[in-house]
Amino acid sequence: MSSNLENELKQLIIDTLALEDLNIADFDSQEALFNGGFELDSIDALELGLAIRKKYDVRIDAETDDVEKIFASVAKLAAFIESKQALNPNGLEGRYE
């Protein structure tokens, strides 16, 4: 798993959710983003999902049963993005469901 991607995601979270009081060093890649970790909420997840779609051309379907697992931590999110990009390295589809 790419620590570069994890760092990019940390910065994306900070920028997307306007968490100006945090920097990437404040994030442990294994720490929960929701439910006891950074305490992000469903609106944050939607905003973050849109930002990920725009930046990485990866769509996270909010209706999937795996959405909580995907957003469990920065490390899990990075692994999901990498797996979807590996399935479609040329970005021709632009969506993953």
Side-chain angles (χ1 to χ4, degrees), residues 25-84:
D26 296 325
F27 280 83
D28 176 343
S29 292
Q30 302 299 325
E31 186 172 359
L33 294 174
F34 300 88
N35 302 325
F38 280 93
E39 294 294 331
L40 303 181
D41 61 25
S42 59
I43 300 298
D44 295 330
L46 287 173
E47 289 181 36
L48 190 53
L50 290 172
I52 288 168
R53 185 174 183 178
K54 183 176 181 180
K55 182 168 178 111
Y56 298 105
D57 203 21
V58 171
R59 183 171 186 261
I60 301 171
D61 185 357
E63 301 301 316
T64 184
D65 292 336
D66 291 340
V67 75
E68 286 185 33
K69 291 178 188 173
I70 294 166
F71 280 106
S73 66
V74 169
K76 297 275 188 190
L77 193 53
F80 175 79
I81 291 169
E82 285 180 338
S83 72
K84 294 303 181 183

Side-chain angles (χ1 to χ4, degrees), residues 7-27:
N7 285 336
E8 283 180 20
L9 286 170
K10 291 173 186 180
Q11 192 61 55
L12 184 67
I13 292 167
I14 291 167
D15 295 343
T16 300
L17 304 179
L19 303 174
E20 292 104 11
D21 55 331
L22 296 178
N23 62 56
I24 62 172
D26 296 325
F27 280 83

